[in-house]
Amino acid sequence: MTVDLRSDTLTKPTPSMREAMARAEVGDDVYGEDPTVRALEERLADLFGHEAALFTPTGSMANVLAVGSLVAPGQEVLCESSAHIARAELGAHAAVGGLTMRTWTDPRGQVDLTAIAAMFAPDMGPFFVRTAAISVENTHNFAGGAVLPLADLRDLRELAVGAGARVHLDGARLWNAHVATGTPLADYGAAADVVTVCLSKGLGAPVGSLLAGSAEAMAQARVRRKRLGGGMRQVGILAAAGLHALDHHVERLADDHAHARLLAEACGVDPASVDTNIVVVQRPDAPAYVAAAEAEGVRIAMVGPTAVRLVTHLDVTRADAERAATVLARL
Ligand SMILES: Cc1ncc(COP(=O)(O)O)c(C=O)c1O
């Protein structure tokens, strides 16, 4: 059997998750009548200390709605240059939200307050694009699952409040940061105006993301979600998978983190540099390396011309991780 380390989105729903989905009470969610979706949204809002939350089919849609709730067309959002919103959402924020982006660069995707302060553009009427929000990603996907320390997020929030801007936190893998550091989810929630989370990555649900923020922002996002074609009907079946994942798959992320450190060591990457479940290996021979691993039953992915990514997840057991480590150490 191949050990598939390309992404933590590859997980399949477990038998007990499927049972929870089959049992879900449902209604028409566009009418606001799906009790399971409502339970999930309320639970998420509570976890992050926000007034409301909104279920979306994907993290990309959640991010578009979240950033769009803070930044109007013709305004800008600042983010790190390898942020998912900048690199991997296929220009949706510009194409749909009509906004522009400027970026700072940090190899570990961290908050660079000096760069942000230097780039920040207040409202200068007809002369410059106004910075309306700053977006950060925790954990940072393309920076190898790096955690953003809470103290930096608090400092960023303070800077934003002082400058009249707001903060978006792309927390597709915030669960991993929470488990790796023990930081309460509510503390992350308090450091941002809108938080996005995914249930379909480390938590193993087949589909589903949410954004959480003020009741007013979520009500507007609900309208914009429908406009994008994201108004779903008896979607409690999917929300039930998310609730099951929250109950059963959060604490176990610590296993994924341990497996990632094991793989890092096998690939010559310092395990201490691996904060969570993602390992990025620099290989000048990346395509050949990926092919050789595949031939030995270990599937990994290129994320740049010389960068290869390994991601541990719910469907990678300790034995799988050990087998992959043996293969990769040999290569
Ligand atoms: C950090 C981050 N944000 C957002 C997303 C988007 O999620 P989706 O694939 O559900 O659109 C991803 C996907 O991998 C991600 O890694």
Side-chain angles (χ1 to χ4, degrees), residues 50-54 65-70 166 193-195 211-225:
H50 282 284
E51 287 173 350
L54 184 71
L65 295 173
V67 174
S69 74
L70 306 177
R166 290 184 290 172
D193 294 276
V194 183
V195 182
L211 56 156
S214 71
E216 192 191 340
M218 293 305 104
Q220 286 171 4
R222 190 174 290 277
V223 173
R224 289 171 35 247
R225 181 185 68 176

Side-chain angles (χ1 to χ4, degrees), residues 9 57-61 63 84 89 137 139 141 170 172-173 198 200-201 209:
T9 57
T58 64
S60 298
M61 188 188 284
N63 276 344
H84 198 275
E89 290 172 13
E137 188 175 308
T139 66
N141 181 348
D170 178 353
R173 295 182 182 77
C198 292
S200 58
K201 302 191 168 57
S209 292

Side-chain angles (χ1 to χ4, degrees), residues 275-291:
D275 290 348
T276 56
N277 68 325
I278 302 178
V279 183
V280 176
V281 188
Q282 293 299 334
R283 294 280 303 208
D285 60 343
Y289 180 64
V290 170

Side-chain angles (χ1 to χ4, degrees), residues 70-71 75-78 116 120-123 130-135 156-168 192-193:
L70 306 177
V71 186
Q75 298 181 339
E76 72 178 3
V77 60
L78 306 182
I116 294 166
F120 193 90
D123 189 358
R130 175 185 169 188
T131 307
I134 301 133
S135 176
L156 174 67
R157 169 87 169 161
E158 202 179 304
L159 180 148
V161 168
R166 290 184 290 172
V167 174
H168 165 240
D193 294 276

Side-chain angles (χ1 to χ4, degrees), residues 1 10 29 31 52 66 89-90 96 99 114 139 172 192 194 204 220 233 235 239 275 282 295 322-323:
M1 273 272 285
L10 295 162
D29 184 50
Y31 285 73
E89 290 172 13
L90 308 185
V96 177
L99 53 85
T114 311
T139 66
V194 183
Q220 286 171 4
R233 303 295 178 172
V235 70
D275 290 348
Q282 293 299 334
E322 283 170 357
R323 187 153 71 79

